[in-house]
Amino acid sequence: MGPVALYMLFVREYEGAGLLMENMTVADYVVSFLVQQGITDVFGYPGGMVTHLMEAFRKREGEIHAHVMYHEQAAAFAACGYAQTSRNLGVAYATSGPGATNLITGICDAYFDSLPCLFITGQVNTNEMKSAYNVRQRGFQETNIVDMVKDVTKFSVCICDIKDIRYFLEKACYLAKTGRPGPVLLDIPMNILRSEIHPDELRGYIPEQRLDSKNVSLKTTLSEALIYAKRPVLIYGNGIKIAGCKERARDVAESLGMPVVSSMLSMDVLGKSANYFGFCGAYGDRPANFILAKADLIISIGSRLDIRQVGARRPAFAPQAKIIRIDIDEGEFSYPVHEDEVQIHVSILDALVSLEALTESLPSYEKWLHVCNEIRLSLQGQDRREPTDMVEVISHYIPSNAVITTDVGQNQVWVAQAFQVKDGQEVLFSGGMGAMGYSLPAAIGAYYGSGKRPVYCFAGDGGLQMNIQEMQFLAREHLPICIIVLDNNALGMIRHFQEMYFDKHYFQTKPSGGYTSPDFCKIAEAYGIEAHHIDTAEKLDSKLLLLDGKPKLIDIKLPGDTYVVPKLRFGSPNQDQEPLIDRGLFKRLMEL
């Protein structure tokens, strides 16, 4: 569709939504625009510079719900969770100064994980802004948030002219959703928000004509590579989830009959598929890393192939394999894994359609699958530990319509390694940003974005304390969200580093080094949330994990010295993770 056609589509949509009408305030216009976009829930925190926006949300309560969080960072994470489950814009708002700066961690999370989010910040009145004055600050709580976030947004602007509101709203939301998605930020001074406008007199945004990214040789390139390959592997990245192509990706994996591994963030795409061998990388599944090391062809779809996935020595990753990288973002190709890799700039859907079309013409990879299954069988149980056993047991009791969120640290990896994903479930991570404190507010956003499905929120004792105040949100709104605390009374991931590299000096990571955590059950009960202590897997059952339409907290006590295994030592080949397996077994698997 060309730019003129897009522009006319915008006009027709706004006319149909009643946006081209009598005078209204800019704040009212912003809220009407969000309603027209199909956004049902937004998240924020009150502040002086957004009072007019808050009032505009109040007027439309029956159509869009503005939820007050208890910290702006939590509002930003909730917007991320909403975007992940709704496939629509996640929206968070905050006032100027500290309110705006508190959003930044969530903005970064949306940027690195390619989540379409709109962040709206209030700003001081235009006549209070420092503008050209050589002063640090003129207006109270005045902060130049636009420049602060320009490197972690697809678009950010301060709107100082009421005539620009429609143009910048349309542009921001278009860019947030188009190509590789990501966050955008609109900074709106208070006097602009309260000003009256006549919407049908405003200029709209006409998207620039973009060249079609479709590569006409895609099908031929894939066909030629697959026909000659004896040991091909598909890597499914988070781009598949971002593009909303999970179902298509499952069908393709089944029809091609070749092994598939994933990035950690996309470990829920294939679930129990017989051809799925786990997620790859530093903390990944050993079978996945061995299989990639033995492959002669790797087709990576929507995966960044960063250091955590391929290791520090990029040329040493899959040394025998030809690599075909498929991505919607050409920028990712500037960081090659192999110098001779084939780079194809197309959408995820185009790539999957092309692969699907090859099904009938490809040879059988049954012999190679047999090798992959032998590798998996030989390594079975190698890395079982109490935390992963606990996570696996829990996963059996969680309903198939549930959303699962994780925090960052050991709990995140244990879920990625051991959670048995059922069809219909989604697992949400803070991937590139790796932000502790993500899981609980993301669970809130995911609840509303998913159409109010039950949510199970995994967290460590460290991460939960970073946004623990959002328990009040659960209690206030009676949300069916279960917080599962994997509680080792330690910052376990860093404690493990200290054990490996710092002669067991556990400074600031264990009680002996100054770190402690509270009784989470008492805290939950203070918020009016049902809570339970658990110390063995035998005490877990389906009744305990049943939510009955209300929040719950389960505090699972673990030993202080817990580990994430396998774990790759920096510089080692991906398949040689620690603790090292028997050298005879290692050699045999590499020679298969």
Side-chain angles (χ1 to χ4, degrees):
M1 184 179 292
V4 175
L6 275 170
Y7 174 72
M8 295 308 297
L9 179 60
F10 275 129
V11 171
R12 287 196 298 272
E13 287 179 347
Y14 292 155
E15 287 174 340
L19 288 176
L20 301 184
M21 51 183 162
E22 299 177 356
N23 282 9
M24 62 198 310
T25 68
V26 167
D28 287 331
Y29 180 81
V30 170
V31 173
S32 295
F33 179 91
L34 298 179
V35 170
Q36 190 275 332
Q37 294 289 313
I39 297 161
T40 57
D41 299 85
V42 301
F43 309 90
Y45 195 85
M49 299 303 106
V50 288
T51 50
H52 292 277
L53 183 64
M54 292 158 57
E55 174 63 11
F57 279 122
R58 185 199 64 79
K59 294 176 188 175
R60 305 292 291 267
E61 274 187 305
E63 300 163 276
I64 188 168
H65 303 281
H67 302 281
V68 57
M69 308 292 287
Y70 293 93
H71 195 289
E72 292 91 352
Q73 184 191 93
F77 286 155
C80 291
Y82 183 92
Q84 284 175 294
T85 52
S86 70
R87 307 287 181 261
N88 200 351
L89 279 175
V91 179
Y93 62 90
T95 194
S96 61
T101 59
N102 281 343
L103 292 174
I104 291 177
T105 301
I107 292 171
C108 291
D109 184 85
Y111 186 69
F112 296 131
D113 286 354
S114 306
L115 305 177
C117 290
L118 169 64
F119 294 94
I120 302 172
T121 51
Q123 186 53 272
V124 300
N125 295 313
T126 53
N127 66 338
E128 298 177 89
M129 296 170 72
K130 69 176 187 177
S131 302
Y133 290 105
N134 188 25
V135 294
R136 290 192 177 185
Q137 184 188 55
R138 191 167 170 225
F140 172 66
Q141 293 188 333
E142 179 188 9
T143 306
N144 184 356
I145 188 66
V146 169
D147 282 349
M148 288 183 183
V149 302
K150 64 182 180 181
D151 288 337
V152 289
T153 54
K154 291 187 71 177
F155 177 72
S156 60
V157 67
C158 181
I159 303 175
C160 292
D161 188 331
I162 59 174
K163 296 177 183 176
D164 291 333
I165 185 63
R166 176 180 172 181
Y167 175 85
F168 284 129
L169 259 177
E170 291 177 5
K171 181 175 182 177
C173 293
Y174 174 81
L175 293 176
K177 294 180 176 181
T178 303
R180 183 177 183 177
V184 293
L185 181 138
L186 299 179
D187 190 40
I188 311 177
M190 185 181 184
N191 63 304
I192 300 296
L193 281 169
R194 67 172 179 259
S195 296
E196 283 201 347
I197 54 171
H198 204 297
D200 59 3
E201 294 177 355
L202 301 175
R203 65 182 179 122
Y205 170 67
I206 303 175
E208 294 179 8
Q209 187 73 274
R210 292 175 177 268
L211 293 175
D212 189 354
S213 66
K214 195 167 186 178
N215 188 315
V216 293
S217 65
L218 172 61
K219 187 176 176 183
T220 301
T221 300
L222 293 173
S223 176
E224 289 177 352
L226 284 166
I227 285 172
Y228 292 107
K230 302 297 182 186
R231 297 187 170 200
V233 182
L234 288 176
I235 295 180
Y236 277 176
N238 193 42
I240 287 172
K241 292 168 66 173
I242 294 165
C245 290
K246 284 174 68 172
E247 295 296 329
R248 195 69 172 258
R250 288 172 187 165
D251 292 342
V252 168
E254 292 296 326
S255 62
L256 291 178
M258 68 177 67
V260 184
V261 304
S262 72
S263 65
M264 188 177 77
L265 271 63
S266 52
M267 50 75 70
D268 59 339
V269 171
L270 290 181
K272 296 180 180 179
S273 170
N275 292 353
Y276 177 57
F277 291 88
F279 74 97
C280 65
Y283 296 104
D285 297 301
R286 289 186 197 264
N289 286 327
F290 266 97
I291 288 165
L292 288 170
K294 297 171 68 62
D296 64 3
L297 172 67
I298 291 173
I299 301 173
S300 170
I301 304 176
S303 176
R304 292 188 297 122
L305 299 183
D306 66 357
I307 289 175
R308 284 291 180 96
Q309 290 174 281
V310 306
R313 296 186 296 119
R314 294 174 77 75
F317 173 74
Q320 306 169 54
K322 175 180 181 178
I323 296 179
I324 299 177
R325 292 180 67 183
I326 299 172
D327 209 292
I328 191 65
D329 183 359
E330 283 186 294
E332 291 297 336
F333 298 146
S334 66
Y335 187 38
V337 181
H338 292 178
E339 289 302 321
D340 62 348
E341 68 186 23
V342 178
Q343 301 174 342
I344 303 177
H345 177 223
V346 295
S347 71
I348 299 297
L349 181 59
D350 284 340
L352 293 174
V353 168
S354 295
L355 281 169
E356 203 169 34
L358 299 175
T359 303
E360 300 298 325
S361 60
L362 295 181
S364 169
Y365 303 113
E366 191 172 339
K367 185 178 178 181
W368 170 222
L369 276 172
H370 178 76
V371 170
C372 296
N373 282 314
E374 186 172 345
I375 290 171
R376 175 160 55 191
L377 187 62
S378 299
L379 294 170
Q380 198 165 15
Q382 187 78 38
D383 299 301
R384 295 296 293 265
R385 299 290 191 276
E386 181 180 353
T388 49
D389 286 346
M390 196 75 79
V391 167
E392 183 173 343
V393 170
I394 291 169
S395 70
H396 294 313
Y397 296 129
I398 291 180
S400 59
N401 68 331
V403 179
I404 296 89
T405 64
T406 74
D407 218 275
V408 171
Q410 289 183 327
N411 73 91
Q412 178 188 46
V413 183
W414 291 330
V415 170
Q417 291 175 336
F419 195 94
Q420 303 299 300
V421 180
K422 300 183 180 80
D423 288 344
Q425 291 178 338
E426 293 181 81
V427 185
L428 311 184
F429 298 97
S430 173
M433 188 61 178
M436 291 175 68
Y438 181 77
S439 189
L440 178 52
I444 292 169
Y447 170 74
Y448 292 107
S450 67
K452 300 185 177 180
R453 290 155 56 187
V455 183
Y456 290 79
C457 161
F458 285 86
D461 50 276
L464 180 59
Q465 293 183 78
M466 290 197 169
N467 275 310
I468 198 168
Q469 74 283 342
E470 301 310 321
M471 283 191 189
Q472 182 61 32
F473 192 113
L474 304 192
R476 185 188 79 212
E477 302 298 329
H478 310 288
L479 300 190
I481 293 177
C482 181
I483 302 170
I484 301 168
V485 190
L486 299 176
D487 184 358
N488 57 8
N489 196 26
L491 300 177
M493 195 74 86
I494 308 306
R495 178 205 59 76
H496 192 180
F497 288 164
Q498 291 170 328
E499 184 173 314
M500 293 177 68
Y501 304 117
F502 300 104
D503 199 26
K504 300 184 179 181
H505 294 300
Y506 300 124
F507 183 61
Q508 298 184 346
T509 59
K510 292 180 66 174
S512 61
Y515 170 84
T516 60
S517 56
D519 185 328
F520 292 105
C521 287
K522 286 184 179 179
I523 290 178
E525 288 163 0
Y527 280 111
I529 294 173
E530 178 186 340
H532 302 270
H533 280 298
I534 294 292
D535 53 15
T536 64
E538 288 73 27
K539 293 182 181 178
L540 288 164
D541 59 36
S542 58
K543 290 182 181 178
L544 186 64
L545 288 157
L546 190 65
L547 289 177
D548 293 327
K550 60 183 180 181
K552 183 180 289 189
L553 181 141
I554 302 172
D555 184 32
I556 300 177
K557 293 296 184 183
L558 297 170
D561 294 338
T562 54
Y563 298 90
V564 165
V565 292
K567 173 181 169 59
L568 188 67
R569 184 175 285 271
F570 190 82
S572 297
N574 273 21
Q575 71 275 22
D576 206 12
Q577 295 161 287
E578 296 186 345
L580 300 179
I581 64 172
D582 175 77
R583 295 295 85 183
L585 174 60
F586 181 88
K587 182 180 179 183
R588 182 175 72 82
L589 295 181
M590 289 302 295
E591 291 176 348
L592 282 175

